[in-house]
Every structure is written in structure tokens, then in C-alpha cells.
Amino acid sequence: MKILAIETSCDETAAAVVEKGRLVLSSVTYSQIEEHKLYGGVVPEIASRRHTEQIVQVTRKAIHDAGMPLSEIDAVAVTAAPGLIGALLVGVNFAKGLCLSLGKPLVPVHHIRGHVAANYIRYADLQPPFMCLIVSGGHSHIVEVNGYTDYKVVGRTRDDAAGEAFDKVARVLGLSYPGGVHIEKAAANGDSSAYALPKPSVDGNPCDFSFSGLKTAVINLVHRANQTGRALAGTEVNDIAASFQRTVCEILAGRFMAAAGERGCKKLALAGGVSANGALRELLQTAACENGCELYMPPLSLCGDNAAMIGSQGYFEYLDGHMAGLTMNAYPTYAVDKSF
Ligand code: KG4
Ligand code: ZN
């Protein structure tokens, strides 16, 4: 079974062909980052326009690279939520058109379930149940993946997502967009114990996250320096980046390991754009070893947005009968534990 997958939820126009959910026959991604960088973040209107311009050639290349005619595709999977609505609609309408003309089934995929599925591509033997820490630009979730399409949310952020916190802190430190990777680079030259930053917990659920207080603490450090009439020195930027990164990683790993420990779960996975962060991967790997857990992490090439992960999850959604008709819509928000 070969699935053509389309992903346009944010600033990457992507298409891929994936066989039986695990084997990537092709994966093409057109990144718009250079253009959005000029504005310090994604401009939704520009993102939609670029998707419209790129979607045909990106898909053509994915089919070409897979070495097969379009007619050999068995189904089309597309990210239907969550994301920028204008951007999502480009992919969803394009996928609908393809399904109508080819007479093939249409499979809507939740973007965040796609991030989790990046692990199925890397590990041929990985099967649910397991627990997953999902950390992206828009989401920070701890979930129980009880089946390929059976999710239970255990914890979530009450305000900023982890990636969003990285991006906002990078901006205030004068680092480029998207911030995560630049914070990681600056942190490599900094002292992670230079600043003690808050680790806010959340009333009511010890597995929930809140990153806005931590972000504000960093903003205050920068403002205090500015009020004395000076810009931060390079070493201070590096030290703040390193201290911030350490604090975020300790919060994420601490709550995830506690949630897994409470539930007696020994099979753990990481997913989402922030899973590219070396400090987070290292900390989680150490914690997993200390607690006798197996830890699955996506390859760096599949941490960010791509269509291969959508093709993988699309296969499992298809097997579970989660298809859509041509009246299917796109949604800017959608619960990860609710199937389409
Ligand atoms: O999953 P993703 O590509 O897009 C969404 O679905 O949101 O995640 C993007 C987020 C951005 O906030 C970016 O700064 C963050 O992932 N990110 C990182 C790293 N690489 C990307 N954060 C920390 N360290 C990284 N190396
Ligand atoms: Zn994503």
C-alpha cells in the first residue's frame, strides 16, 4: 500500500510517498524559512501563497523520486489540522482534487500524530502502546499512545508551547528565527548554570506545562540590562541561552519521566520540532537509562515538518478506517485524541 502524503500546515510545503507506513520512497520539502525570517516569524498570508505556488512541483518531484506513476498511489493523506488555516486549506484542497481525479481514498491526518509517526519510520519494530513527549512550535503534550489512532492526553501546556518559548526567547536575545536552533548554537558556548530561572508548575495537574513565566524571566533579564543603558554582551547571551535551554529541558524531561513512572510505562518516545534539540535528547536518554526505559527518538531529518511522517500516520489512519469525503474541512485547532 503506497500513500502520497501532503503537508502544508505552516511554512514547509511537503510531499512524500510512503509504503506501508514505514518505508519512505520519496520525501520532498520546500522550506519558506528564509522568507519568513525577514519578519521574525511566519506571516500566514505569505505562507499560503507560497504553498499555492509550490505544491504542484513539490508533489510532482515526490512522485518522480518514488520512481512510479501517480496511478500507482493507493490513497492520498493530507494534514487537515492543526495549523494556519489558509496554509492547511491549500494542501487539503489539492489533496481533494487529486483524490477526485484519481478515484482514490482521502485520508485526513492530525499534524501532531504525524510527528509521533516519524518514530515508526525510524524504528520498524516500534508499536503502541508507549508514552510520547510531543514538543513543537505549537504544542507541548504528554500523551499515551495506546494504539496507532488511540491517544490519551496526560499533560499539556497551559500557555506557550516549548518551541514557541524557544522562538520568543531567541527573538528577545537578538537571535534569528526560528529560534530553537539558534538558542542551541548560542548555548553550546554558554554556561548553563549561570542563571537560576523559574520552573513553574501548574495547579491541578503535575503533568501540565507553563512556559510563559520562564519566558518573562528571560525578558526581564534583558530589560534590566537595557535599562542600565547597555546591550547584552555575547557571553551573556550565550549564558542566558544555555540556562534557558537547560531549564526547559529539565522541565520537559522531569515531567515526562514522572508521568511515565506513575503509569509504570517503560516504552517512551519523543516527537516534534524541538526533539531536534541535542540537550533534550541527551537528558531524556540519560533519564530513560537510569529508569530502565526504552527511548525512541526521530532522526534529525524527520524532527521538523515533513510529509513522510504524514504518510506514515496516514497508513495507520487508513487501516483504522478513518477516511474522509470531499466535504472534508481543515481546522486551525483539533484535539490530538479525537480522530477525524
Ligand atoms: O514541529 P515543528 O517543525 O513545527 C510545528 O509543528 O510547530 O516545530 C518547530 C519548532 C520551532 O519553535 C523551532 O524553534 C523548534 O521547533 N526547534 C527547536 C530546534 N529545532 C527546531 N527547538 C530547540 N532546539 C532545536 N534544535
Ligand atoms: Zn510540526
Side-chain angles (χ1 to χ4, degrees):
M1 162 116 199
K2 297 186 187 96
I3 292 199
L4 169 65
I6 310 285
E7 154 65 41
T8 63
S9 66
C10 191
D11 57 354
E12 256 99 28
T13 316
V17 179
V18 181
E19 189 164 1
K20 289 189 181 160
R22 308 261 182 184
L23 181 65
V24 181
L25 301 182
S26 67
S27 182
V28 181
T29 304
Y30 170 83
S31 174
Q32 309 174 359
I33 282 178
E34 286 307 316
E35 195 168 358
H36 295 292
K37 228 181 220 176
L38 301 172
Y39 306 96
V42 178
V43 182
E45 178 63 19
I46 294 177
S48 311
R49 282 169 189 262
R50 294 298 167 265
H51 287 313
T52 308
E53 288 163 11
Q54 295 296 328
I55 189 82
V56 173
Q57 57 221 40
V58 165
T59 306
R60 261 196 228 282
K61 181 157 168 41
I63 292 292
H64 173 268
D65 291 357
M68 51 186 277
L70 190 55
S71 55
E72 267 187 36
I73 290 297
D74 298 295
V76 179
V78 63
T79 305
L84 301 170
I85 189 64
L88 285 165
L89 280 168
V90 176
V92 164
N93 285 315
F94 183 71
K96 281 187 193 177
L98 275 176
C99 289
L100 184 64
S101 64
L102 296 168
K104 305 287 180 185
L106 175 64
V107 186
V109 175
H110 194 291
H111 180 80
I112 295 301
R113 289 190 187 183
H115 274 299
V116 176
N119 286 291
Y120 303 139
I121 295 172
R122 168 145 190 206
Y123 305 99
D125 57 348
L126 174 61
Q127 291 176 4
F130 55 87
M131 282 184 73
C132 190
L133 172 65
I134 306 167
V135 275
S136 72
H139 292 76
S140 302
H141 275 12
I142 295 174
V143 296
E144 285 176 9
V145 183
N146 294 319
Y148 290 103
T149 66
D150 178 4
Y151 276 57
K152 184 175 172 210
V153 177
V154 170
R156 55 157 57 91
T157 183
R158 298 284 183 94
D159 40 58
D160 293 351
E164 195 180 351
F166 269 97
D167 294 342
K168 288 177 176 169
V169 164
R171 188 195 279 218
V172 81
L173 290 177
L175 303 172
S176 185
Y177 176 85
V181 69
H182 299 286
I183 294 263
E184 186 170 7
K185 276 187 195 149
N189 299 314
D191 172 4
S192 67
S193 58
Y195 295 88
L197 296 167
K199 291 184 190 168
S201 52
V202 180
D203 274 352
N205 186 354
C207 300
D208 277 356
F209 304 106
S210 166
F211 292 110
S212 80
L214 171 58
K215 175 192 69 186
T216 307
V218 174
I219 291 172
N220 287 342
L221 280 177
V222 177
H223 283 177
R224 271 201 289 278
N226 291 346
Q227 276 162 2
T228 61
R230 64 180 191 89
L232 287 178
T235 50
E236 282 172 295
V237 168
N238 294 343
D239 287 351
I240 294 175
S243 304
F244 167 77
Q245 177 176 268
R246 174 186 55 77
T247 309
V248 173
C249 293
E250 286 174 358
I251 293 170
L252 290 170
R255 291 195 198 157
F256 185 41
M257 294 311 298
E262 252 169 49
R263 287 158 184 79
C265 180
K266 296 282 182 195
K267 201 168 166 187
L268 310 176
L270 178 64
V274 183
S275 62
N277 186 276
L280 179 61
R281 293 171 82 97
E282 212 172 289
L283 190 61
L284 274 177
Q285 190 64 73
T286 306
C289 285
E290 282 171 5
N291 290 281
C293 298
E294 287 172 273
L295 176 67
Y296 297 85
M297 296 188 280
L300 292 182
S301 60
L302 293 179
C303 288
D305 290 347
N306 65 86
M309 67 186 197
I310 302 301
S312 173
Q313 183 62 24
Y315 173 70
F316 297 108
E317 298 287 348
Y318 176 85
L319 291 185
D320 284 352
H322 300 154
M323 269 79 82
L326 294 177
T327 55
M328 167 195 156
N329 210 344
Y331 304 90
T333 59
Y334 202 92
V336 71
D337 50 0
K338 192 172 135 198
S339 288
F340 288 102

